[in-house]
């Protein structure tokens, strides 16, 4: 299992070659506060790296969810749609947003690893 991070505070985790799981980081959910709504992409949608793939709304603000890599959405987390607070209580687990078939593994490899992401958060 390999987890990488974006400058926009999304994480992406590749466990197998089928699909990668995408969500928001602890830092993102801390900054947002209590998440009250998520707008998830439609299964089958195709995105390029950096495209807006969804929206996270909290009691404080709304934030775009950016696609960390190019690819096709193959699954969305219906449990998160039903209970958006999962993004706060378990952002790296049950609070995942969607799964994507990665079109270009080079894009994945260009993302931040855990030490680089920790440094980004520390310096922000």
């Amino acid at each position: 299992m390999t987890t990488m991070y974006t400058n926009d505070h999304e994480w992406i985790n590749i466990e197998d070659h089928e699909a990668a799981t995408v969500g928001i980081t602890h830092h993102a959910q801390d900054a947002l506060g209590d998440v009250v709504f998520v707008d998830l992409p439609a299964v089958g949608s195709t995105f390029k790296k950096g495209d807006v793939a969804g929206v996270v709304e909290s009691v404080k603000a709304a934030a775009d969810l950016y696609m960390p890599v190019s690819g096709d959405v193959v699954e969305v987390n219906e449990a998160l749609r039903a209970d958006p607070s999962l993004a706060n209580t378990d952002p790296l687990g049950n609070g995942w947003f969607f799964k994507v078939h990665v079109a270009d593994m080079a894009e994945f490899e260009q993302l931040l690893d855990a030490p680089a992401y920790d440094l980004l958060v520390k310096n922000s």
Side-chain angles (χ1 to χ4, degrees):
M1 172 170 56
T2 303
T3 303
M4 301 293 271
Y5 303 87
T6 70
N7 290 332
D8 298 308
H9 308 289
E10 291 91 14
W11 58 265
I12 181 169
N13 178 350
I14 295 183
E15 293 183 23
D16 55 45
H17 297 289
E18 294 301 313
T21 305
V22 177
I24 62 172
T25 64
H26 279 289
H27 178 80
Q29 68 85 27
D30 280 344
L32 284 168
D34 293 336
V35 175
V36 296
F37 176 78
V38 293
D39 180 22
L40 301 174
V43 172
S45 299
T46 300
F47 293 93
K48 292 182 181 173
K49 180 179 179 177
D51 285 353
V52 174
V55 176
V56 182
E57 292 183 15
S58 73
V59 294
K60 292 183 182 178
D64 289 332
L65 179 68
Y66 297 98
M67 186 63 105
V69 294
S70 299
D72 302 321
V73 176
V74 296
E75 185 179 349
V76 297
N77 186 352
E78 293 298 340
L80 180 66
R81 192 186 316 261
D83 182 6
S85 69
L86 288 171
N88 294 115
T89 58
D90 193 12
L92 303 178
N94 291 328
W96 61 275
F97 282 66
F98 58 87
K99 294 185 180 184
V100 60
H101 181 265
V102 179
D104 183 357
M105 281 303 294
E107 290 180 348
F108 177 80
E109 293 163 3
Q110 293 168 355
L111 297 172
L112 303 171
D113 61 12
Y117 181 72
D118 289 344
L119 186 62
L120 172 76
V121 169
K122 181 181 175 185
N123 292 331
S124 62

